Amino acid sequence: MAMAIERPRSNRWLLWLVGSLAVVGVLALMVEDWGQLWKISSAPDNVPIVGMIPLVIFFTWLGLKQSKENDQLVETLEEDPALAKTHHRKTHPWRPGWAREIHVWPYLVRVEFLAAIIVTVILFAWSILLNAPLEEPANPNLTMNPSKAPWYFLGLQEMLVYFDPWIAGVVMPGLLVVGLMVFPYVDSNPLGNGYYSWRQRRFAVSMFMWGFFMWIILIIIGTFIRGPGWIWFWPGQTWDHNAVVFDRNRDLHEIIALYGLPFLNTSPFKEIFGALVVGFIFVAGGLFFHWLMLRRGLERSDFKSFRAFWNWASRSGEFEKKLLERTSILQYLTFQFFAISVLWLFPVKLILRLAFTIKYIWVTPWFNV
Amino acid sequence: MEPERPDENGDGQQSQGLKRGGAAGVVARARAQGLALKERAEAEAKTYKDPQQTQLWKSIFRVSHDRSDPRNRSLAILSNVFLHLHPAKINRDATRYSFTWGMGGITFYLFIVLTFTGILLMFYYHPTKVQAFRDILYLEHDVPFGKLLRNMHRWAAHLMIITTWLHMFRVVLTGSYKRPREFNWCVGVVLLVLTLLLSFTGYLLPDDQLGFWAVTVGTNMARATPGFGSEGPFGPQLGMTPFNDVRFGLLGGSIVDANALLRSYIWHCIGIPVVASLFMAVHFWRIRKDGGISGPAPVMLESEMKAAKK
Ligand code: HEM
């Protein structure tokens, strides 16, 4: 490495190891039914998910590690403009006189060839060791319970719990796809094009990760937690086919009406109330994203005192302000629309539903939210 | 490609010997000619020791791959229909696995594996209610390597979804969707949707409980499409019933049955692969036109960020 990055040796990894082992141990103690857990994890079509989790963790680590290395390089170069003029600006090794470009034949082609061989070997091994599932012949009269969509769509199926089918099954996927497509067009930050970076693109990267990880968490919930009747069973709990959940879920207006406001149960107050609450949630989301996009990166010193933390939370970063200036109003509003309706509304509803057993916040004769 | 004849000037002497006449002359002549032919054959055989120098080889590969001078290395890429997706040269750090994770390439490779195993599966599979399930049993128990074939197709499909997601994740982490690659990102999003649909349409084909109920759950959502579903907002008002809404169009009926199986099959084996191939062609083409892989690029500094253009 051209820029050797000196790091003090530490035993932190040991702490991490012991900590993780402790967590795993406690979780293992909580498992009541190992057979059930094994049955779910080893169902052939669930194996890809079990495999995907470590892959996602690994590649997140790999990406963030390289981001950090680049960030350190950026910091060094920002402090030393003379060096910045001459440096080749990568963390990869470089010597004057080295060609900037190399021949695809053989340097790239051989890498591709090797990758193809490795993937082939993995596929063969996987296919020899594990058989594709085959259930009984299709039988419309015998409902599978739970009947689940293929795992990559479980996120949408899980959304059915929180939203009307037309929102969960049609509007949300549509918003997701369109939201992904507009992503490059609303990110007005010119930095970080073609190299890993966290420091220069904190907000954009974290917004994507928010969505990506949410999607994966939904898949995990749908696979490992939702049992017969789509009931929530913690991992390790036995899937009881006779379990009944006494549905205490109520709509928000019904709960508020209990506090001496019975008129909320009648039209049109019901609808107006719901619209107000949804409006409030949208505004709160917008404010939150606005606040978040102006934060500079957290540093360790920000946690030294409450005052230091407050300083971080209440003052906008200079760089972040510049980024916002570059953003057109249209870009800003488009971003907010997708961020609120995809990234914000969903966790809000999830918490309201799971923690406060609130079913809908806005009930109208035509749709419920 | 004429092999040299070492005995070119021996001809004169031979004709002199011929004048001497008689049977001895004929034998001597035949011997001399035989020797000449042998030498010629040996000389020619020597040239075949290097197959790359033969007319046959050159007609196929057009350029030599054995010499590694820059010209030939470039030509190896440029004159090959499969490799010419690549540029002749690339950024020296772009071949590192750590940058792209090889994910786009692996996704594409899995697509090829799926096409190959899929075509083989098609030899054994009939998309009919009577045969479909039995064909899978037949594949699993009687067809040589049928089980392996089916397993590979299944797991490659699952893997392709995971690698597509990871590929997209990498593109975000390296900011590779930024100018001028915005459009290629959108092409990628379409590919992502197509990949999911490919997998989904394949799920029904074994015609077992798993596929049946997964597709039932999946297409039930289509019922709720606003305006076009029989249970969606404004659907009934616009005249939608279970017998004419989008779900009916997808399934070719109001329940998942024979028509749904056939439609699934056609989308899975023809419709979506063709469209996906087209989009992949555009995707790869755009990578080249956008200047190749985005990095690893030299880092930019915050202090170098130009003021926004108004
Ligand atoms: C069937 C699915 C796909 C295939 C076969 C595919 C294939 C590829 C390949 C081979 C590359 C070259 C670099 C690399 O290997 O990373 C690439 C680059 C790229 N892909 Fe994809 N891709 C797919 C899906 C996607 C998706 C879902 C997205 C984004 C939503 C996407 C966006 C891009 C972009 C922006 C680049 C340029 C990256 C750069 O210049 O660094 N692709 N793709």
Side-chain angles (χ1 to χ4, degrees), chain A residues 7-26:
Chain A
R7 243 183 269 144
R9 282 179 166 270
S10 78
N11 289 329
R12 239 187 330 167
W13 64 271
L14 196 69
L15 216 68
W16 273 100
L17 189 72
V18 174
S20 330
L21 282 180
V23 172
V24 171
V26 170

Side-chain angles (χ1 to χ4, degrees), chain A residues 44-45 48 52 55-56 59-60 62-63 66 70 73-74 77-78 84 88-90 92-94 98-109 111-112 114-116 119-120 123-124 126-128 130-140 142-144 147-153 156-157 160 165-166 168-171 177 180-181 183-185 187 189-197 199-201 204-205 208-209 212-213 215 219 319 322-323 325-326 366, chain B residues 65 70-71 73-74 76-77 83 86-101 103 106 109-110 113 129 133 136-137 140 147-148 150-152 154-156 158-159 161-162 165-166 168-183 185-186 189-190 192-193 196-197 199-200 203 206-210 212-214 217-218 221-222 224-226 232-234 256 294-310:
Chain A
D45 265 0
M52 178 179 67
L55 277 180
V56 168
F59 281 111
T60 308
L62 185 65
Q66 295 179 75
N70 278 335
L73 177 63
V74 166
L77 296 183
E78 289 279 14
H88 76 288
R89 297 200 173 193
K90 293 187 196 178
H92 307 305
W94 167 260
W98 279 6
R100 276 176 199 281
E101 294 201 315
I102 50 174
H103 275 285
V104 164
W105 183 285
Y107 299 110
L108 177 61
V109 191
V111 173
E112 293 174 340
L114 191 62
V119 173
T120 311
L123 263 183
F124 264 101
W126 187 358
S127 306
I128 289 169
L130 188 71
N131 284 328
L134 187 66
E135 304 270 333
E136 304 281 296
N139 183 353
L142 187 69
T143 314
M144 293 254 282
S147 65
K148 292 190 178 183
W151 61 269
Y152 37 86
F153 283 148
L156 298 179
Q157 201 179 353
L160 279 172
W166 67 277
V170 185
V171 176
V177 170
L180 274 176
M181 287 206 189
F183 198 82
Y185 298 97
D187 182 357
N189 180 351
L191 300 184
N193 186 344
Y195 54 91
Y196 289 93
S197 167
R199 164 193 162 118
Q200 295 179 337
R201 302 181 47 229
V205 171
F208 183 85
M209 283 188 174
F212 186 54
F213 293 152
W215 181 252
I219 289 176
F319 174 59
K322 265 195 235 157
L323 287 185
E325 265 168 36
R326 306 177 61 93
W366 313 280
Chain B
H65 290 229
R71 188 181 127 81
R73 287 186 176 185
S74 305
I77 297 298
L83 295 178
H86 296 103
K89 284 180 154 194
I90 46 160
N91 177 343
R92 70 172 303 120
D93 298 311
T95 54
R96 294 169 187 278
Y97 279 117
S98 62
F99 183 70
T100 63
W101 311 341
M103 275 307 158
I106 291 175
Y109 179 65
L110 287 170
V113 170
K129 282 304 263 189
F133 188 78
I136 305 294
L137 290 181
E140 293 216 324
K147 198 172 216 167
L148 185 68
R150 175 168 183 244
N151 290 350
M152 276 187 88
R154 182 88 166 199
W155 302 138
H158 284 314
L159 201 57
I161 291 175
I162 298 176
W165 288 352
L166 289 174
M168 177 169 71
F169 189 33
R170 186 288 287 183
V171 170
V172 171
L173 289 181
T174 57
S176 302
Y177 56 78
K178 297 187 180 205
R179 210 184 320 236
R181 296 181 179 79
E182 306 99 318
F183 181 71
W185 163 273
C186 294
V189 175
V190 174
L192 172 72
V193 175
L196 292 173
L197 289 180
S199 216
F200 185 64
Y203 221 67
D207 198 28
D208 66 344
Q209 281 285 69
L210 202 61
F212 178 87
W213 288 104
V217 170
M221 292 192 198
T225 315
F234 310 114
V256 180
S294 58
V299 296
M300 273 177 66
L301 303 186
E302 282 135 62
S303 53
E304 292 167 345
M305 190 164 77
K306 294 196 190 79
K309 275 186 229 131
K310 288 285 159 181

